[in-house]
Amino acid sequence: QVQLVESGGGSVQAGGSLRLSCAASGHTYSTYYMGWFRQVPGKEREGVAFTDSDSRTSYADSVKGRFTISTDNAKNTLYLQMNSLKPEDTAMYYCAADSPARFSPEFYLRSWAYQYWGQGTQVTVSS
């Protein structure tokens, strides 16, 4: 079992920045994927970015060049640095983990690939 707790959400004006954190605890295997997703009411959960145990990363086209996913293994923490925020980035942001990794990398922007989820942190970007 893996427990995930997000933090760092808030309200910011367009063009601003936020850094989300996801603290992980519990047992993790040597292979894993960790990702960030976001969801607005009435829409499907959208994959934003993921990283794996070899530090490879992938991003949704909508956030490429603006968001950066990273990990601090010593702190068991996943981060999402969000720059140049836009009103359309407004959503509840969720951290997710799949450990041990079960699928090929191309599936990890899909929510069904993940076993564990945090409770979410709200990000609101005003124009």
Side-chain angles (χ1 to χ4, degrees):
Q1 284 282 353
V2 176
Q3 293 79 44
L4 303 171
V5 178
E6 302 96 335
S7 61
S11 297
V12 65
Q13 289 192 325
S17 298
L18 283 174
R19 188 177 80 157
L20 306 183
S21 299
C22 172
S25 60
H27 181 72
T28 57
Y29 293 83
S30 59
T31 62
Y32 63 81
Y33 281 82
M34 294 193 75
W36 287 99
F37 286 77
R38 63 188 182 186
Q39 189 170 26
V40 297
K43 291 192 175 182
E44 290 187 2
R45 196 165 290 190
E46 174 192 18
V48 174
F50 71 79
T51 185
D52 68 9
S53 43
D54 291 325
S55 298
R56 291 171 294 197
T57 60
S58 183
Y59 297 89
D61 288 343
S62 58
V63 306
K64 279 181 183 176
R66 301 189 298 122
F67 290 12
T68 303
I69 189 170
S70 63
T71 56
D72 183 333
N73 292 328
K75 295 182 179 179
N76 291 329
T77 301
L78 177 73
Y79 299 102
L80 185 69
Q81 178 66 44
M82 305 186 294
N83 298 329
S84 302
L85 282 161
K86 304 175 181 180
E88 52 264 43
D89 295 318
T90 295
M92 184 70 79
Y93 281 72
Y94 297 90
C95 168
D98 189 46
S99 178
R102 298 172 295 160
F103 304 108
S104 299
E106 62 265 31
F107 296 116
Y108 279 97
L109 281 179
R110 313 282 184 90
S111 59
W112 54 259
Y114 292 86
Q115 302 175 66
Y116 306 106
W117 291 87
Q119 294 301 307
T121 186
Q122 178 68 37
V123 171
T124 302
V125 184
S126 59
S127 58

